[in-house]
Amino acid sequence: MHVEQMSGEQLQAELQALETRYAELAELNLKLDLTRGKPGTEQVSLSDALDGILGGDYRAADGTDARNYGGLDGLPEAKQLFAGTLGVPAAELLIGGNSSLTLMYAVIDFALGTGLRGPESAWGNEDEVKFLCPVPGYDRHFAICEHLGIEMIPVPMLSTGPDMDIVEELVAADPAIKGIWCVPRFSNPTGCVYSRATVERLARLGSIAGDNFIVMYDNAYAVHTLDADAEALADIREFCIRHNTQDSVFQFGSTSKITFAGAGVAYLASSPDNLAAFKKHLGFQTIGPDKVNQLRHVRFFRDAAGIAAHMEKHAALLRPRFQAVLDTLESELAGTGMGEWLSPRGGYFISFNSRPGLAREIIRLAADIGVALTPAGATFPYGDDPADSNIRLAPSYPSLEDVQATAEAFVVCVKLASIRQKLQ
Ligand code: PLP
């Protein structure tokens, strides 16, 4: 029943039942954790064959010895393999170390301090630098901006991606806005896939904002589908070519959630000019990335079909965990007016919006009975969710049993907080 349609008596009866249920849960001494957006142990084990796969043969296809220095932008066959995940030509890809986040930080740091188009263009020359941050979004993107002194402007996320009417308006009005964060496929945390129209409008931003503006297009979940028929992502590069804005987009990806998290391969793609400038900058920081790991990944996957088959194994492990949370939300909260969520078809998260003003309280109630949830506000710049409503659920890491138990405890906390609020 919808909470707004419940009589005073019904609310009181429901409150009593929930308090009893909550006390029972407290007795169980639960120790559950749905905070960690990282692959489970069974998932990382899918890639154990990486270990030792080279069998002493360290030669890349062109004869390069992967054990030695060089190859600043990566082995050609690794570039070929990973360019496919972002839908770009290998010539427009650069392979870095183990973390795409490091590459994102490096690009922003480069744009601030050195300048994307020479020293005159360094954002740091200006009094203010601002970034658009679709919310809810990825906390580590926001942390990069905060750390580097970039002011963040929240922009609402829709089911089609960032609200592009607002984005275009802001970008046209304020030259201090130098970029926007995007997780275009299975967005962290809403799980939405940006629509074709949104992708085209993002590609066009460079022509509105000028050539010193960048779209930080973090395609972290490019191939991370739960369902084989999950919505595809439109090709941003094609739109950039059409609108002559290739310099305005940096794409990122990594195998952190494909092979080993933190011991995979990370890469970025952009225009040939951007790559040349960034590569020159990178050359001061490193003599070259870990090509042995790149070669291991190439031998492990061989081609795009190898990656797709591997991702299907991840999906088989993740699907029941997502389903457990979504089924519980659906059976316990649908039609109650106590929360809203999307059913993602890929990625790592489920984004839950409680009634305004309740996220902190729900998270506190859960913590008090041994259920750890991501801190309220984590999905907003400066940790500030003005509606105090968004909660990010990450079902990948715990066992299926624990995910189920957490989901059940979670809905009790949501209902208890909602009924108490209604009765106040
Ligand atoms: N980008 C997004 C959207 C993520 O959710 C994550 C990890 O959760 C990362 C990047 C981290 O990627 P990497 O391990 O390649 O630094």
Side-chain angles (χ1 to χ4, degrees):
M1 189 172 193
H2 198 286
V3 68
E4 294 298 340
Q5 285 156 3
M6 289 167 98
S7 67
E9 266 173 36
Q10 284 171 321
L11 286 168
Q12 284 296 349
E14 184 69 9
L15 179 66
Q16 260 191 11
L18 285 165
E19 279 177 345
T20 306
R21 179 81 188 107
Y22 184 76
E24 285 165 5
L25 287 169
E27 294 281 302
L28 297 177
N29 290 322
L30 299 172
K31 211 169 171 298
L32 301 169
D33 188 341
L34 220 60
T35 64
R36 292 167 294 197
K38 60 183 190 180
T41 308
E42 285 173 282
Q43 284 183 268
V44 287
S45 296
L46 294 172
S47 304
D48 285 352
L50 277 171
D51 195 14
I53 199 166
L54 297 183
D57 176 6
Y58 296 94
R59 296 270 156 203
D62 63 0
T64 300
D65 184 344
R67 294 170 300 183
N68 223 321
Y69 276 142
L72 188 56
D73 57 5
L75 289 174
E77 57 265 54
K79 287 167 69 171
Q80 189 67 41
L81 179 67
F82 295 123
T85 68
L86 297 181
V88 300
E92 292 177 21
L93 194 90
L94 176 148
I95 301 189
N98 68 321
S99 161
S100 59
L101 207 63
T102 304
L103 291 173
M104 292 176 228
Y105 185 99
V107 165
I108 294 193
D109 197 39
F110 176 57
L112 265 174
T114 308
L116 293 165
R117 334 251 169 255
E120 300 283 292
S121 71
W123 298 343
N125 294 338
E126 301 181 30
D127 294 338
E128 302 176 299
V129 181
K130 301 179 190 170
F131 244 71
L132 299 182
C133 299
V135 291
Y138 179 38
D139 51 352
R140 287 182 183 271
H141 288 162
F142 305 155
I144 290 177
C145 283
E146 196 167 355
H147 182 64
L148 293 173
I150 296 173
E151 182 184 331
M152 291 178 272
I153 304 173
V155 173
M157 273 293 273
L158 310 175
S159 60
T160 49
D163 185 328
M164 291 307 295
D165 290 344
I166 296 181
V167 167
E168 287 167 356
E169 204 175 296
L170 287 167
V171 162
D174 188 352
I177 297 174
K178 295 297 181 218
I180 180 170
W181 286 109
C182 296
V183 183
R185 194 169 194 221
F186 312 127
S187 170
N188 177 350
T190 74
C192 80
V193 178
Y194 290 11
S195 69
R196 192 174 172 77
T198 297
V199 173
E200 175 156 25
R201 289 170 80 177
L202 284 167
R204 239 183 6 225
L205 285 178
S207 59
I208 301 174
D211 73 350
N212 212 4
F213 174 95
I214 55 174
V215 177
M216 294 291 285
Y217 205 71
D218 177 4
N219 210 345
Y221 302 106
V223 293
H224 303 55
T225 49
L226 291 169
D227 307 308
D229 61 347
E231 202 176 336
L233 180 67
D235 181 351
I236 194 164
R237 181 176 172 275
E238 202 180 291
F239 289 128
C240 285
I241 291 170
R242 187 180 302 168
H243 297 289
N244 197 23
T245 54
Q246 271 181 286
D247 287 343
S248 73
V249 176
F250 280 87
Q251 301 195 53
F252 301 88
S254 80
T255 69
S256 282
K257 286 165 185 169
I258 299 177
T259 56
F260 294 157
V265 178
Y267 34 92
L268 71 76
S270 195
S271 68
D273 282 352
N274 281 349
L275 281 188
F278 184 72
K279 202 172 143 178
K280 194 168 156 205
H281 179 69
L282 197 64
F284 292 102
Q285 301 172 38
T286 177
I287 306 173
D290 179 350
K291 296 188 301 301
V292 173
N293 200 25
Q294 291 175 28
L295 195 56
R296 295 194 306 158
H297 278 73
V298 170
R299 298 255 173 92
F300 183 63
F301 289 123
R302 298 189 178 278
D303 53 23
I307 294 181
H310 186 76
M311 293 317 291
E312 179 44 44
K313 294 180 195 162
H314 280 287
L317 293 166
L318 288 171
R319 221 178 279 127
R321 288 171 166 79
F322 274 75
Q323 210 54 55
V325 177
L326 293 169
D327 286 351
T328 308
L329 293 177
E330 185 65 28
S331 67
E332 296 294 321
L333 296 176
T336 65
M338 296 188 201
E340 290 173 348
W341 60 94
L342 293 175
S343 298
R345 310 202 55 208
Y348 265 63
F349 303 101
I350 295 166
S351 174
F352 181 86
N353 285 326
S354 69
R355 288 164 69 87
L358 287 187
R360 269 172 221 285
E361 175 60 5
I362 292 166
I363 290 163
R364 183 194 67 77
L365 284 169
D368 286 353
I369 54 168
V371 177
L373 299 172
T374 307
T379 51
F380 282 72
Y382 311 107
D384 179 24
D385 173 1
D388 186 23
S389 149
N390 188 251
I391 300 173
R392 189 187 83 170
L393 303 172
S396 57
Y397 190 74
S399 67
L400 180 54
E401 221 181 3
D402 282 0
V403 171
Q404 183 65 50
T406 309
E408 286 166 17
F410 176 70
V411 294
V412 170
C413 297
V414 171
K415 288 184 188 180
L416 187 54
S418 306
I419 300 275
R420 280 180 180 163
Q421 186 195 50
K422 189 64 199 149
L423 279 167
Q424 261 169 18

